[in-house]
Amino acid sequence: MASIDEAKEVYGQIGVDVDKAIERLKKVRVSMHCWQGDDVLGFDSTELTGGISATGNYPGKATNPDQLMADMKKALSLIPGNHKINLHASYAITDEKIDRDKLEPKHFKAWVDFAKENNLGLDFNPTLFSHPKASDNLTLSNPDKNIRDFWIDHCKASRKIAEYFGKELSMTSLNNIWIPDGYKDVPADRIGPRRRLKEALDEIFSENYDEKYLADSIEGKVFGIGVESYTVGSHEFYMNYAAKNNKMCLLDTGHYHPTEMVSDKIPTMLLFNKNLALHVSRPVRWDSDHVILFDDELKEIAKELVRCDALGRVFIGLDFFDASINRISAWVVGMRNMEKALLYALLTPHEALKKMQDEANFTELMASMEELKTYPFGAVWDYYCQVQNVPQKKEWYKEIQSYEHDVLAKR
Ligand code: RNT
Ligand code: ZN
């Protein structure tokens, strides 16, 4: 078994400095999505709508703020690094009966306290689904001006809340807008809804905030369940909108046709944009939002971020919701895999490989890439977990088992 010293030597021989890689990884914050903890229900609704779905009924899901926070703390104790929590507006913590257009920063104070106590950043998302005014999957593009205005107000309120997070935590907060809008069958008008969405976004973004505190992103998609034929907020729509209005695109890895790869889109976006946001997910045949694995595409995404020197300008968020397994384990597996992929990418001798490509030395390029796959990555990963004071290998799973026995089983 390779020790960390042996691993450092082996990587050193190909010009890779393991300690430097670890130092760089420590600075990356990944946004852990609150919604894996309760199957995207939130605290203000009872049913998930919007063309997305969490399948499975594993026992023990969080049903109130205390449970969700406790579960997150458990997960974070098993994940190396300092991170962020990604919240949705539907997770407001308040005794008031308040609709989403009227939400204010104070309704998220408990989350700010939680973040401060646990050295976390916070990101935010307006919730334009699981609500009576979104029951037909028409929000910002709704032909009814009253409904459109309700959602515009909600998005404006969200930006204010994200700005509050940014100020309170001295860390830029991402406010990401995703809407479910679309039609099940062949539409009679495609440009109309998109025009309404464009105008709604103009209105939402008409308020200026300091970009030190608030970053805005917009997330496109190809289809949803029940809205298979037409999506108002398509990728092209948002890419054009973002380019013209100096906003950030958020690429969700499940939101493209199955053979399109987000890893390939990353360098293109980085060439034309200052920042980029990601929802890292795993689509299995469709936008199924499976837990991310340490697979080829995840590695490729991380490699692009590292070789484009983009770790400082990307917002990495996770977006999956599996209700068929222990939800805390889902977080831990996904977050640890994101960290693994980044570490793996940081341990890759990108300059040497690039040179082979530029010199048309494709034979050596393939040989080198394949040999790299069996380098002692595992030893470095274990070492990273050790210095970050989190369990190594599958040790963390024991903690999940006792938590399930002691806490989840009693819910
Ligand atoms: C849906 C989008 C969106 C949601 C979350 C809950 O397809 O990916 O990001 O998953 O906002
Ligand atoms: Zn997403």
Side-chain angles (χ1 to χ4, degrees):
M1 195 175 68
S3 71
I4 183 60
D5 292 328
E6 282 161 357
K8 282 183 185 178
E9 200 181 310
V10 176
Y11 278 108
Q13 282 161 9
I14 52 165
V16 171
D17 184 330
V18 167
D19 290 310
K20 260 196 198 142
I22 286 179
E23 282 317 304
R24 288 180 71 190
L25 180 59
K26 278 185 190 167
K27 295 196 190 93
V28 182
R29 283 184 188 258
V30 175
S31 204
M32 188 173 97
H33 54 313
C34 71
W35 54 91
Q36 166 60 68
D38 73 336
D39 311 341
V40 212
L41 272 183
F43 306 136
D44 71 350
S45 60
T46 46
E47 195 205 349
L48 174 61
T49 69
I52 52 179
S53 145
T55 51
N57 54 2
Y58 200 84
K61 79 166 165 235
T63 55
N64 60 48
D66 287 343
Q67 291 179 351
L68 189 60
M69 285 178 185
D71 292 359
M72 278 177 175
K73 272 176 84 157
K74 187 77 224 170
L76 290 166
S77 73
L78 308 173
I79 298 161
N82 295 321
H83 299 290
K84 288 172 115 181
I85 294 294
N86 205 358
L87 293 175
H88 245 283
S90 50
Y91 292 79
I93 300 179
T94 170
D95 296 330
E96 292 173 59
K97 183 94 194 87
I98 186 133
D99 211 347
R100 293 189 191 161
D101 59 331
K102 298 279 184 310
L103 284 170
E104 290 176 54
K106 66 174 183 196
H107 303 118
F108 291 87
K109 183 177 179 301
W111 284 112
V112 168
D113 294 342
F114 177 75
K116 285 182 179 166
E117 276 158 31
N118 296 286
N119 186 21
L120 296 160
L122 288 177
D123 291 318
F124 201 59
N125 306 261
T127 312
L128 296 98
F129 51 85
S130 303
H131 187 280
K133 287 196 165 72
S135 58
D136 53 359
N137 290 323
L138 292 170
T139 62
L140 294 177
S141 76
N142 201 304
D144 181 339
K145 186 171 182 312
N146 288 323
I147 295 186
R148 230 159 50 230
D149 285 346
F150 172 86
W151 291 114
I152 289 172
D153 287 343
H154 174 54
C155 290
K156 284 184 169 175
S158 286
R159 292 181 77 222
K160 201 170 268 171
I161 292 160
E163 187 222 23
Y164 156 74
F165 290 167
K167 281 192 171 158
E168 286 288 322
L169 304 168
S170 305
M171 196 188 303
T172 314
S173 176
L174 179 73
N175 185 64
N176 174 57
I177 299 181
W178 170 74
I179 63 168
D181 298 33
Y183 289 103
K184 181 182 172 83
D185 226 317
V186 186
D189 175 19
R190 287 191 165 87
I191 198 168
R194 290 193 173 129
R195 186 177 290 119
R196 290 193 288 272
L197 174 57
K198 180 170 174 280
E199 285 167 8
L201 293 174
D202 289 346
E203 174 67 34
I204 292 163
F205 294 130
S206 65
E207 287 163 358
N208 286 319
Y209 290 95
D210 189 338
E211 59 182 44
K212 213 163 81 196
Y213 304 121
L214 169 71
D216 288 295
S217 66
I218 41 189
E219 177 183 6
K221 183 166 177 171
V222 63
F223 86 101
I225 306 168
V227 279
E228 287 87 356
S229 298
Y230 167 78
T231 298
V232 184
S234 59
H235 177 58
E236 295 76 11
F237 174 91
Y238 285 123
M239 218 167 116
N240 278 294
Y241 189 92
K244 282 227 168 188
N245 297 280
N246 199 21
K247 295 290 161 207
M248 206 192 314
C249 275
L250 182 144
L251 308 181
D252 182 309
T253 54
H255 288 192
Y256 299 87
H257 290 283
T259 57
E260 273 185 272
M261 292 293 148
V262 162
S263 53
D264 185 65
K265 299 178 193 298
I266 289 172
T268 306
M269 300 305 289
L270 289 171
L271 265 186
F272 294 95
N273 298 275
K274 202 165 75 187
N275 299 106
L276 175 67
L278 296 176
H279 269 181
V280 189
S281 191
R282 181 166 55 105
V284 177
R285 307 192 191 284
W286 64 289
D287 182 27
S288 60
D289 290 298
H290 279 65
V291 177
I292 55 169
L293 303 181
F294 186 49
D295 61 11
D296 285 349
E297 173 59 358
L298 188 65
K299 287 181 198 152
E300 215 53 34
I301 286 171
K303 279 195 253 172
E304 283 305 332
L305 296 177
V306 169
R307 60 193 172 203
C308 296
D309 197 20
L311 290 180
R313 38 187 198 126
V314 67
F315 291 83
I316 307 172
L318 306 190
D319 185 8
F320 49 77
F321 24 98
D322 190 337
S324 75
I325 54 175
N326 180 301
R327 294 167 185 82
I328 302 162
S329 181
W331 268 323
V332 176
V333 168
M335 288 289 282
R336 282 175 73 109
N337 280 342
M338 191 68 236
E339 292 280 291
K340 269 185 218 161
L342 290 166
L343 182 62
Y344 192 83
L346 287 162
L347 293 172
T348 302
H350 298 289
E351 286 311 315
L353 297 174
K354 254 182 231 175
K355 191 160 172 276
M356 290 172 205
Q357 174 175 317
D358 290 346
E359 290 173 352
N361 197 353
F362 302 117
T363 311
E364 189 180 355
L365 178 59
M366 182 194 281
S368 311
M369 283 178 158
E370 288 309 295
E371 288 307 324
L372 270 171
K373 290 181 180 170
T374 48
Y375 267 51
F377 170 73
V380 184
W381 169 248
D382 288 346
Y383 173 69
Y384 179 60
C385 289
Q386 186 196 327
V387 296
Q388 291 283 311
N389 276 317
V390 299
Q392 295 182 7
K393 298 200 166 67
K394 224 184 95 183
E395 283 300 302
W396 61 266
Y397 184 67
K398 292 182 188 153
E399 301 261 341
I400 298 280
Q401 278 180 310
S402 6
Y403 192 78
E404 178 160 323
H405 179 264
D406 300 341
V407 182
L408 301 183
K410 296 183 178 137
R411 284 184 183 164

